[in-house]
C-alpha cells in the first residue's frame, strides 16, 4: 500500500497523479477503507507542488527539508537554553537556515 501511495507522487503531472490515485483507491478501498478515506481526504492539496517547475518537484513534494531545518533549529536552541530576546532567537534561526542552504549549495555544485 505504501509503495502504491508513493507512486502517485512520482507521476509526471497533476492529471496522471489523479489517475494513479483512482487506481490506488480502487485497489485498496476494499482492504483498507479507513486508510484510503483518510489518505484521499483533501488530496488535491497535496498536489500543489505540480504548480511549480518540475526541476524542484523532488525538493518540495514533501515537508522533509522543512522538518529537518526545524529539527536542527530545535537542537541548537536546546544547546543554548533560553534566548534573551526575540532577535537572538531569529539570529540563530537565520544562521541555521544559512548553514542548511550552504550544505545544499555544496551538494548541488559538487556534481557540476
Amino acid at each position: 500500500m505504501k509503495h502504491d501511495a508513493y507512486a502517485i507522487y512520482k507521476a509526471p503531472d497533476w492529471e496522471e497523479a489523479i489517475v494513479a490515485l483512482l487506481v490506488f483507491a480502487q485497489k485498496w478501498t476494499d482492504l483498507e477503507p479507513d486508510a484510503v478515506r483518510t489518505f484521499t481526504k483533501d488530496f488535491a492539496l497535496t498536489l500543489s507542488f505540480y504548480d511549480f517547475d518540475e526541476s524542484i518537484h523532488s525538493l518540495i513534494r514533501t515537508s522533509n527539508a522543512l522538518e529537518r531545518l526545524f529539527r536542527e533549529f530545535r537542537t541548537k536552541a536546546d544547546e543554548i537554553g533560553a534566548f534573551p530576546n526575540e532577535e537572538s532567537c531569529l539570529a540563530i534561526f537565520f544562521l541555521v537556515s544559512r548553514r542548511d542552504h550552504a550544505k545544499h549549495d555544496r551538494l548541488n555544485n559538487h556534481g557540476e
Side-chain angles (χ1 to χ4, degrees), residues 30-64:
D30 288 343
L31 295 170
E32 296 290 343
D34 292 337
V36 171
R37 186 174 30 265
T38 299
F39 183 68
T40 58
K41 184 177 190 280
D42 297 326
F43 186 79
L45 297 174
T46 69
L47 301 179
S48 60
F49 69 93
Y50 285 114
D51 295 338
F52 299 90
D53 187 74
E54 185 177 355
S55 66
I56 62 169
H57 286 182
S58 65
L59 298 172
I60 63 173
R61 74 174 162 232
T62 70
S63 60
N64 292 348

